[in-house]
Amino acid sequence: MAQRPFQTGAVVNLAAGESAKDVVVCTILAKKRFEIKFLGINGFGHPNQPLFYAMHVTTKSVLGIYPIALTGSSEIAEPEFPMRYFGSQEAILYADPKSDLIFSVARKDTTGNVRVFINLCGMLVDI
């Protein structure tokens, strides 16, 4: 079974007034499975405005939604995005051929803009 390293990512932008958004990070190629090993998030928003993050992954034709817990936050000197939320974690997720990897960001308070970067790495495996 041939395999090769694979990395992909996406950006989610929430405008003022938007509470949630899903983006397709990528669509897995036919006859390939993406074995996700590691993911990282860098989010930029506002103080006292926690964000919810989740990956939607289809494995054996079943959609699973996996919330992601971040490890930290810090204030930064950026007027539009004065707070940075970040984290990376090891993961073991398997994405089916031809399935969409979907990343979700949600928030309760919709004041201001939010920008979140997600990066995934692992192995693309022939099946």
Side-chain angles (χ1 to χ4, degrees):
M1 185 180 312
Q3 59 184 12
R4 63 181 169 91
F6 183 71
Q7 182 172 336
T8 188
V11 178
V12 177
N13 290 297
L14 293 176
E18 288 183 302
S19 61
K21 190 175 281 184
D22 296 340
V23 297
V24 174
V25 177
C26 71
T27 301
I28 308 304
L29 299 171
K31 299 185 181 181
K32 301 282 185 186
R33 179 180 66 231
F34 183 23
E35 296 181 356
I36 301 165
K37 306 285 187 189
F38 206 80
L39 56 88
I41 293 177
N42 279 294
F44 300 90
H46 304 275
N48 302 316
Q49 190 181 89
L51 302 173
F52 170 80
Y53 313 91
M55 283 300 306
H56 304 237
V57 179
T58 302
T59 305
K60 293 201 173 228
S61 301
V62 176
L63 179 64
I65 300 173
Y66 302 92
I68 302 163
L70 298 188
T71 54
S73 62
S74 64
E75 292 187 30
I76 56 175
E78 169 60 47
E80 186 176 3
F81 305 111
M83 188 63 110
R84 179 177 180 228
Y85 300 94
F86 54 89
S88 56
Q89 65 189 49
E90 194 171 2
I92 301 174
L93 299 170
Y94 302 96
D96 285 349
K98 297 194 225 176
S99 68
D100 289 336
L101 284 177
I102 300 169
F103 178 58
S104 297
V105 177
R107 61 183 174 167
K108 183 177 178 182
D109 180 359
T110 61
T111 304
N113 298 327
V114 169
R115 179 169 294 142
V116 180
F117 298 85
I118 176 87
N119 288 294
L120 306 162
C121 67
M123 301 300 281
L124 202 57
V125 179
D126 293 339
I127 57 166

